[in-house]
């Protein structure tokens, strides 16, 4: 372990490595409860729902309401508020104007680690416009007498307390209803409480420090099949129009091709696909336009349709088409006297449906966290439970200046499936401790959970839509592929937070996590590995590569916009960073990384050829004799070739079991070529798109080169991924997949030993050459299994 004040960018290669930690997870409660054994807790009980985090003790004060408060002698009324004081920490409720019986129902939480007093004071005061606030009364608690509460116990019932005077010598008029107890972060009051750790945050900023759970909007694909139009009349009566249809949903605009012939009844039969989200707020706007000149289009008719009138399709059954009458463009506004035109209008023939059988991609398929279709009716039962304890971070760097010194207000966000979580913000510390635990249902183990750490720049109550609004800064990101986790094991590691800057890769700190993946059914898990990766509609009616890229970009924008409207918002820069918005951009560094991934695979073939050359050269006589004996046996008995091969892979898989990875994968700076990248290549990677170069021709050529190279980079990466999946068959990177494969190898070896080779060859040949009528459009089980195998994409920065 390196000290917290060590430089972030060190030449030590261990600086970027994963590290084991030994946190005190599921720590027992003190015997007999807190503060001298007067609590209600049994010392043998555990905080079972928070067993992946360290327990943090808090003093909770719930201020419910007050009654019969004395009025002011001047105003004959009262503007009351409550101040809760513990040592140097003071929390205040909001004040009410002219209210003798106010209700606040606010909770205050004081960290036990920072307690400076054994006396809790609750003051009731009258807010004055001028001068000092009037003192109405107080209640004092001895912390040694405060009970302890642990969920799932019911909440502690509040009680009425008579107010004492300033010196505590007698009762005064009025009472206050309070509940005071010792608890942990597992308490239901914890998320909404005012925290003494963030006492400096006021106003709108107080909302931005709380932990929250968000749910992504339910996304659908809207398929608009534009079939034909009738009686399309040009604005110029002397010519037939060159017609195309433009469809718009929100900010998404798509066009059909221009009909090749000039006619009044054009036929297109084109599919336009959009991404829409529930509730369906946008409208489908269709316009029929005439290409008059290359720079001028005339609108001939339009129609606006709400999305909820279209049927929801769950499979590939045909959808009924409908005719819609088009409104004459400008009618009722510019041509109010031509009402007779409604008696004869153009028509358009459409087939529109909301696709529920697809999974709407809003993230890169390399790091996908969910593969379920949109329609809930098509969901399978979950196969496991993922539990993540977000413990804390160590050695974070200062992200901004506050009062003339560096400061960081860190929070952690996590995304898996449709559920996003955000921890509370720990104010002004480089070693925050969150100790929050979250749970997700897992429907497919071959998925990735993404966690990001950010610096909160919205603690001062800035308006999110202001022109100069601050953006939450990136501190780093961690990805964990679930299939690399052994079931029921708790992984406690410290992950390096790495960010690539224009001047190179930089370690921003370390994120400490506790992760546990629990499988519910072994049979379901085996079934999933032979099941298609995506819903079957993706294979029966696939989208083109360009469509997938465009639709993913639109889905990401919708998710970012919806989560940005939550309270508090999960901001656009956070969502885009978690969803890898810029993963398709050209980068010389990424291209080199993918190229050397392929070269490392090819080097395995070279190693085999060198081994065979060594056999021919008799450099190891014993090995050469054994290979010759094996060669003669296989020539004499060719039916032993395949079973020997499978048995050999079975033995290699067993041998590699002792070399299996013992921790999840993490960012690898060497694999990503982030440590040895040239400054000029970094300048190109961080260049704007389009480029900021001044010369127009250079800009055009440069951008075109970057666009083409980006696609080549993706193809090269896909080739490397396929090769790495072959490597992972016996590497135990995915314990379940390797277990299934070596069991299959053993079974295949036994079957092929007892089955004549000619029979196997005959059956395999006839099966491979079978008629297309007997073939399914869905991928085969071996293909599905292969696509679920892990690659080193998880370790790319």
């Amino acid at each position: 372990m390196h000290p917290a004040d060590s430089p972030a960018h060190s030449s030590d290669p261990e600086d970027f490595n994963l590290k084991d930690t030994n946190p005190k997870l599921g720590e027992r409660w003190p015997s007999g409860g807190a503060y001298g054994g007067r609590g209600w807790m049994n010392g043998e009980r555990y905080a079972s729902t928070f067993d992946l985090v360290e327990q943090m003790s808090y003093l909770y004060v719930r201020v419910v309401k007050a009654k019969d408060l004395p009025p002011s002698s001047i105003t004959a009324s009262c503007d009351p508020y409550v101040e809760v004081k513990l040592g140097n920490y003071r929390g205040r409720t909001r004040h009410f104007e002219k209210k003798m019986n106010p209700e606040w129902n606010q909770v205050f939480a004081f960290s036990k680690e920072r307690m400076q007093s054994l006396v809790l004071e609750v003051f009731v005061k009258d807010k004055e416009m001028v001068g000092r606030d009037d003192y109405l009364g107080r209640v004092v608690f001895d912390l040694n007498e405060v009970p302890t509460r642990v969920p799932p116990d019911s909440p502690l019932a509040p009680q009425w307390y008579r107010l004492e005077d300033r010196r505590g010598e007698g009762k005064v008029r009025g009472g206050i209803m309070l509940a005071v107890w010792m608890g942990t972060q597992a308490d239901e009051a914890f998320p909404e409480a005012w925290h003494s750790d963030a006492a400096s945050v006021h106003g709108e900023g107080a909302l931005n420090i709380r932990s929250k759970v968000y749910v992504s909007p339910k996304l659908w694909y809207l398929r608009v099949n534009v079939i034909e139009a009738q009686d399309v009349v040009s604005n110029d009566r002397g010519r037939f129009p060159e017609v195309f249809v433009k469809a718009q949903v929100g900010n998404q605009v798509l066009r059909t091709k221009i009909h090749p012939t000039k006619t009044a009844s054009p036929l297109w039969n084109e599919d336009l696909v959009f991404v829409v989200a529930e509730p369906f707020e946008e409208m489908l706007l269709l316009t029929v336009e005439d290409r008059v000149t290359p720079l001028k289009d005339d609108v001939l008719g339009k129609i606006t349709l709400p999305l909820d009138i279209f049927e929801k399709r769950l499979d590939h059954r045909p959808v009924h088409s409908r005719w819609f009458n088009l409104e004459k463009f400008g009618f009722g506004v510019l041509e109010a006297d031509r009402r007779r035109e409604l008696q004869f209008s153009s028509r358009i023939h459409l087939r529109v449906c909301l696709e529920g059988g697809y999974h709407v991609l809003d993230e890169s398929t390399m790091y996908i966290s969910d593969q379920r279709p949109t329609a809930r009716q098509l969901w399978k039962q979950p196969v496991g439970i993922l539990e993540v304890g977000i413990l804390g971070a160590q050695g974070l760097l200062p992200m901004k200046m506050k009062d003339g010194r560096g400061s960081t207000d860190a929070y952690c966000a996590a995304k898996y499936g449709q559920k996003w979580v955000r921890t509370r913000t720990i104010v002004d510390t480089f070693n925050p401790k969150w100790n929050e635990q979250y749970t997700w249902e897992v429907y497919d183990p071959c998925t990735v959970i993404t966690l990001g750490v950010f610096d909160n720049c919205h603690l001062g109550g800035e308006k999110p839509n202001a022109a100069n609004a601050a953006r939450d800064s990136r501190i780093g990101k961690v990805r964990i592929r679930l299939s690399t986790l052994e079931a029921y094991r708790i992984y406690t590691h410290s992950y390096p937070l790495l960010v690539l800057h224009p001047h190179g890769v930089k370690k921003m700190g370390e994120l400490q996590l506790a992760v546990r993946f629990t499988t519910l059914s072994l049979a379901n898990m085996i079934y999933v590995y032979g099941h298609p990766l995506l819903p079957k509609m993706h294979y029966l009616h696939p989208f083109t590569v360009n469509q997938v890229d465009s639709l993913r970009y639109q889905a990401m924008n919708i998710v970012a916009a919806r989560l940005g409207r939550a309270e508090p918002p999960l901001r656009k820069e956070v969502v885009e960073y978690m969803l890898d918005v810029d993963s398709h951009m050209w980068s010389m560094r990424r291209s080199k990384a993918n190229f050397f991934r392929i070269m490392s695979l090819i080097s395995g073939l070279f190693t085999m050829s060198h081994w065979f050359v060594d056999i021919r050269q008799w450099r190891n006589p014993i090995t050469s004799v054994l290979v010759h004996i094996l060669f003669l046996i296989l020539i004499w008995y060719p039916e032993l070739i395949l079973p020997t091969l499978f048995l050999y892979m079975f033995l290699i898989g067993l041998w590699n079991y002792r070399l299996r990875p013992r921790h999840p994968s993490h960012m690898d700076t060497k694999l990503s070529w982030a440590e040895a990248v040239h400054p000029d290549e970094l300048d190109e990677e961080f260049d704007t798109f389009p480029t900021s170069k001044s010369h127009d021709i250079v800009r055009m050529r440069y951008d075109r080169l970057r666009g083409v190279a980006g696609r080549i980079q993706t193809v090269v990466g896909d080739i490397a991924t396929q090769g790495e999946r072959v490597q992972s068959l016996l590497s135990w990177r995915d314990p379940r997949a390797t277990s299934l494969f070596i069991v299959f190898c053993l079974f295949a070896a036994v079957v092929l030993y007892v089955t004549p080779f000619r029979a196997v060859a005959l059956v395999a040949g006839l099966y491979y050459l079978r008629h297309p009528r007997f073939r399914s459009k869905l991928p085969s089980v071996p293909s599905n299994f292969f696509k679920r195998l892990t690659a080193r994409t998880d370790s790319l920065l």
Side-chain angles (χ1 to χ4, degrees):
M1 296 292 289
H2 295 272
D5 57 351
S6 61
H9 186 59
S10 170
S11 58
D12 184 2
E14 296 295 321
D15 200 33
F16 296 139
N17 282 358
L18 202 69
K19 300 171 185 175
D20 282 316
T21 58
N22 294 302
K24 299 177 181 178
L25 303 183
E27 184 184 26
R28 290 190 181 189
W29 289 81
S31 178
Y35 288 102
R38 292 185 174 86
W40 301 336
M41 262 301 300
N42 180 351
E44 296 301 317
R45 282 182 58 180
Y46 290 84
S48 58
T49 56
F50 270 57
D51 60 341
L52 290 184
V53 294
E54 298 178 7
Q55 289 190 6
M56 303 170 67
S57 295
Y58 288 88
L59 171 68
Y60 289 98
V61 182
R62 180 182 296 277
V63 180
V64 183
K65 56 186 175 181
K67 66 178 180 180
D68 302 331
L69 296 178
S72 169
S73 58
I74 300 176
T75 62
S77 182
C78 182
D79 300 338
Y81 70 90
V82 174
E83 182 178 272
V84 182
K85 180 175 179 291
L86 180 65
N88 292 330
Y89 291 107
R90 297 172 183 265
R92 285 180 48 170
T93 67
R94 61 190 181 278
H95 81 278
F96 291 101
E97 294 186 2
K98 299 181 180 180
K99 200 162 187 180
M100 312 296 290
N101 299 293
E103 292 189 16
W104 294 283
N105 201 24
Q106 287 183 244
V107 180
F108 298 84
F110 298 88
S111 174
K112 182 182 176 183
E113 293 182 354
R114 301 189 182 184
M115 285 186 183
Q116 303 164 340
S117 172
L118 291 178
V119 176
L120 171 71
E121 297 178 282
V122 180
F123 297 96
V124 181
K125 296 186 177 182
D126 182 9
K127 185 173 181 62
E128 296 290 343
M129 296 298 294
V130 180
R132 194 173 179 181
D133 294 344
D134 283 345
Y135 174 93
L136 301 180
R138 70 169 186 168
V139 179
V140 180
F141 294 89
D142 182 353
L143 297 191
N144 290 320
E145 303 295 333
V146 171
T148 300
R149 175 191 174 248
V150 177
D153 289 350
S154 299
L156 184 63
Q159 301 180 38
W160 284 105
Y161 294 89
R162 288 288 304 273
L163 295 177
E164 301 176 353
D165 65 11
R166 189 184 303 270
R167 298 177 182 177
E169 296 177 351
K171 303 295 183 181
V172 297
R173 178 181 170 185
I176 185 170
M177 181 179 279
L178 300 171
V180 182
W181 72 96
M182 293 297 302
T184 67
Q185 70 269 38
D187 202 290
E188 294 91 338
F190 181 78
E192 299 296 329
W194 173 95
H195 286 269
S196 59
D197 297 344
S200 61
V201 181
H202 299 288
E204 293 293 328
L207 293 175
N208 290 310
I209 66 171
R210 293 173 179 166
S211 57
K212 291 292 178 183
V213 175
Y214 304 84
V215 179
S216 292
K218 190 175 183 180
L219 301 178
W220 296 76
Y221 285 135
L222 175 70
R223 188 186 295 270
V224 181
N225 180 221
V226 183
I227 304 174
E228 59 181 327
Q230 286 184 352
D231 305 323
V232 179
V233 180
S234 171
N235 293 333
D236 182 1
R237 304 288 181 175
R239 58 182 285 275
F240 281 105
E242 299 181 34
V243 186
F244 66 93
V245 176
K246 182 172 74 174
Q248 180 173 354
V249 178
N251 296 325
Q252 307 170 65
V253 180
L254 296 175
R255 294 176 174 83
T256 66
K257 296 177 181 176
I258 298 176
H259 195 267
T261 59
K262 298 181 178 181
T263 175
S265 299
L267 176 66
W268 295 281
N269 198 25
E270 284 190 44
D271 274 351
L272 306 177
V273 184
F274 302 88
V275 178
V276 295
E278 291 185 1
F280 302 119
E281 301 172 347
E282 293 87 2
M283 307 280 279
L284 172 62
L285 173 62
L286 288 166
T287 57
V288 178
E289 302 189 14
D290 176 19
R291 176 60 54 86
V292 181
T293 67
L295 300 177
K296 181 183 178 184
D297 298 327
D298 279 350
V299 179
L300 306 182
K302 67 173 183 178
I303 186 171
T304 303
L305 301 170
L307 300 182
D308 50 13
I309 67 170
F310 305 123
E311 66 175 297
K312 297 176 179 178
R313 183 170 74 168
L314 306 184
D315 50 23
H316 58 282
R317 62 183 173 81
V319 176
H320 296 296
S321 60
R322 295 169 61 184
W323 285 94
F324 294 93
N325 291 329
L326 294 172
E327 301 174 13
K328 179 72 174 176
F329 182 69
F331 171 73
V333 179
L334 302 177
E335 308 176 25
D337 57 336
R338 300 173 62 181
R339 298 186 178 275
R340 296 182 197 174
E341 294 198 2
L342 276 182
Q343 299 174 4
F344 176 82
S345 63
S346 305
R347 300 196 304 165
I348 189 169
H349 194 192
L350 303 174
R351 181 180 289 112
V352 188
C353 67
L354 291 160
E355 297 280 12
Y358 289 90
H359 170 69
V360 181
L361 294 164
D362 61 348
E363 54 195 341
S364 171
T365 52
M366 290 192 299
Y367 313 120
I368 196 167
S369 64
D370 188 19
Q371 294 149 350
R372 290 171 292 170
T374 298
R376 187 177 289 270
Q377 301 94 306
L378 302 179
W379 290 4
K380 310 292 185 186
Q381 290 296 316
V383 298
I385 299 293
L386 173 66
E387 298 165 278
V388 178
I390 304 174
L391 305 180
Q394 290 288 332
L396 299 184
L397 299 183
M399 301 299 295
K400 57 179 177 281
M401 298 300 294
K402 184 186 295 184
D403 299 329
R405 60 182 180 83
S407 174
T408 298
D409 306 319
Y411 67 91
C412 181
K415 195 265 184 190
Y416 184 78
Q418 294 181 329
K419 178 179 174 181
W420 297 67
V421 301
R422 176 170 120 168
T423 66
R424 69 192 188 282
T425 300
I426 307 297
V427 178
D428 198 15
T429 178
F430 301 135
N431 300 294
K433 294 288 186 183
W434 294 293
N435 284 310
E436 297 182 24
Q437 184 171 336
Y438 297 95
T439 304
W440 287 268
E441 289 183 330
V442 176
Y443 293 84
D444 194 315
C446 304
T447 45
V448 176
I449 181 173
T450 303
L451 302 101
V453 182
F454 301 87
D455 176 46
N456 196 332
C457 296
H458 297 83
L459 302 184
E462 302 92 340
K463 296 298 182 183
N465 297 325
N468 58 349
R471 292 168 58 89
D472 289 352
S473 304
R474 306 171 178 179
I475 298 180
K477 181 162 54 180
V478 173
R479 302 188 196 99
I480 301 175
R481 186 173 292 272
L482 272 56
S483 62
T484 64
L485 305 177
E486 297 177 10
Y488 308 106
R489 176 182 168 186
I490 298 178
Y491 291 85
T492 54
H493 290 96
S494 181
Y495 295 79
L497 296 170
L498 306 177
V499 173
L500 195 66
H501 290 287
H503 53 271
V505 66
K506 193 171 187 179
K507 181 179 176 182
M508 310 295 288
E510 296 179 353
L511 177 64
Q512 296 178 346
L513 300 176
V515 182
R516 177 172 57 204
F517 176 41
T518 306
T519 55
L520 301 179
S521 168
L522 181 60
N524 276 348
M525 195 68 69
I526 296 174
Y527 169 76
V528 163
Y529 271 92
H531 199 262
L533 201 64
L534 292 168
K536 65 180 181 179
M537 283 295 291
H538 287 267
Y539 307 101
L540 300 179
H541 295 286
F543 294 117
T544 65
V545 175
N546 288 337
Q547 272 184 311
V548 170
D549 288 344
S550 173
L551 292 172
R552 179 194 164 222
Y553 180 75
Q554 298 298 341
M556 194 164 44
N557 284 340
I558 292 175
V559 171
R562 288 289 181 91
L563 294 181
R565 285 159 45 183
E567 187 61 45
L570 194 63
R571 302 184 185 278
K572 183 178 181 182
E573 60 268 22
V574 175
V575 176
E576 290 182 345
Y577 183 55
M578 300 285 284
L579 296 180
D580 287 312
V581 65
D582 55 355
S583 61
H584 65 286
M585 298 294 287
W586 159 254
S587 162
M588 180 68 77
R589 177 187 60 81
R590 286 197 193 104
S591 297
K592 285 201 300 187
N594 288 332
F595 173 76
F596 284 102
R597 286 169 62 200
I598 292 179
M599 292 304 297
S600 67
L601 295 174
I602 298 176
S603 66
L605 299 177
F606 292 150
T607 303
M608 291 181 62
S609 66
H610 292 322
W611 175 81
F612 190 71
V613 169
D614 291 343
I615 296 298
R616 292 181 62 202
Q617 298 295 332
W618 287 76
R619 291 177 181 167
N620 189 338
I622 297 177
T623 305
S624 297
V625 169
L626 291 176
V627 169
H628 278 76
I629 294 173
L630 178 62
F631 174 71
L632 292 174
I633 293 174
L634 294 180
I635 288 297
W636 197 258
Y637 301 104
E639 63 271 15
L640 299 181
I641 294 176
L642 283 178
T644 302
L645 178 63
F646 281 110
L647 184 61
Y648 184 57
M649 287 193 290
F650 170 74
L651 294 174
I652 291 178
L654 284 183
W655 181 260
N656 286 345
Y657 177 75
R658 52 191 193 85
L659 304 174
R660 69 192 186 280
R662 304 301 178 114
H663 55 74
S665 56
H666 63 288
M667 305 292 185
D668 190 336
T669 55
K670 291 183 178 178
L671 179 67
S672 306
W673 277 78
E675 291 181 325
V677 63
H678 193 274
D680 183 62
E681 295 172 0
L682 274 177
D683 180 64
E684 181 184 31
E685 183 170 345
F686 282 92
D687 191 12
T688 57
F689 191 86
T691 178
S692 57
K693 307 300 178 183
S694 58
H695 202 285
D696 292 337
I697 297 178
V698 173
R699 179 183 297 133
M700 182 269 294
R701 292 178 179 174
Y702 186 43
D703 291 344
R704 182 173 59 189
L705 175 63
R706 293 170 75 191
V708 172
R711 294 197 176 276
I712 295 174
Q713 156 190 311
T714 303
V715 172
V716 171
D718 288 342
I719 295 173
T721 298
Q722 308 312 315
E724 288 168 355
R725 284 173 175 164
V726 175
Q727 274 188 338
S728 70
L729 277 171
L730 300 174
S731 69
W732 291 93
R733 169 54 69 186
D734 182 347
R736 283 164 288 274
T738 303
S739 301
L740 288 173
F741 183 71
I742 66 172
V743 169
F744 168 76
C745 290
L746 178 62
F747 178 79
V750 172
V751 170
L752 292 173
Y753 269 122
V754 301
T755 306
F757 178 76
R758 294 180 181 85
V760 175
L762 178 64
V763 171
L766 291 177
Y767 179 80
Y768 184 76
L769 297 173
R770 70 192 186 281
H771 193 276
R773 181 180 301 172
F774 302 108
R775 299 177 189 171
S776 171
K777 289 185 178 181
L778 297 179
S780 63
V781 170
S783 173
N784 295 329
F785 181 85
F786 180 78
K787 289 178 180 177
R788 291 179 175 278
L789 294 172
T790 61
R792 301 178 72 189
T793 52
D794 308 331
S795 301
L796 283 176
L797 186 64

